[in-house]
Amino acid sequence: MAEEGSKVLWNESQRRFETEDKEAYLQYELRNGGEVMNILHTFVPSSKRGQGLASRLCIAALNHAKAHSMSVIPTCSYVSVTFLTQNPSWNSIIYTENVRSSI
């Protein structure tokens, strides 16, 4: 059973995905007219670490980006170094400036 406050919600006005208690969050900014989501920071308080919250925040943000046909810039080191390394299936939505055809 999920711990209280561990449900992830989209807080559009604050440009965050956060737990219900707002203690853990992923902060982002939109670029290119809303076509690109730059994930800036992921924070989980020490009292809640080890519960998979950072990963769940990333999944919520990436699912949102995918559903809205956005590309993602993983500025946050947790996302770029840890999450994407362990979950390479998300690499298909990572933003690249020089998208070239293989033809």
Side-chain angles (χ1 to χ4, degrees):
M1 188 161 136
E3 266 193 49
E4 183 179 332
S6 65
K7 182 177 177 183
V8 176
L9 305 171
W10 179 36
N11 182 337
E12 184 177 11
S13 65
Q14 295 292 312
R15 295 195 173 164
R16 292 173 24 146
F17 288 86
E18 58 194 17
T19 53
E20 286 179 295
D21 60 13
K22 301 185 186 318
E23 289 184 14
Y25 61 87
L26 178 149
Q27 186 80 41
Y28 68 91
E29 68 179 5
L30 296 177
R31 294 186 178 182
N32 296 3
E35 293 179 9
V36 178
M37 175 188 284
N38 182 11
I39 299 177
L40 302 169
H41 182 64
T42 305
F43 175 77
V44 177
S46 57
S47 63
K48 296 190 180 229
R49 292 187 184 152
Q51 299 175 25
L53 288 178
S55 178
R56 291 182 42 225
L57 290 164
C58 287
I59 290 168
L62 294 171
N63 275 329
H64 177 86
K66 187 175 182 179
H68 292 86
S69 301
M70 295 178 192
S71 294
V72 173
I73 299 172
T75 299
C76 169
S77 62
Y78 170 78
V79 179
S80 62
V81 176
T82 304
F83 183 82
L84 290 173
T85 301
Q86 295 173 357
N87 300 277
S89 63
W90 288 105
N91 287 336
S92 63
I93 65 168
I94 299 306
Y95 177 80
T96 54
E97 284 188 84
N98 298 317
V99 177
R100 296 178 187 216
S101 173
S102 60
I103 298 173

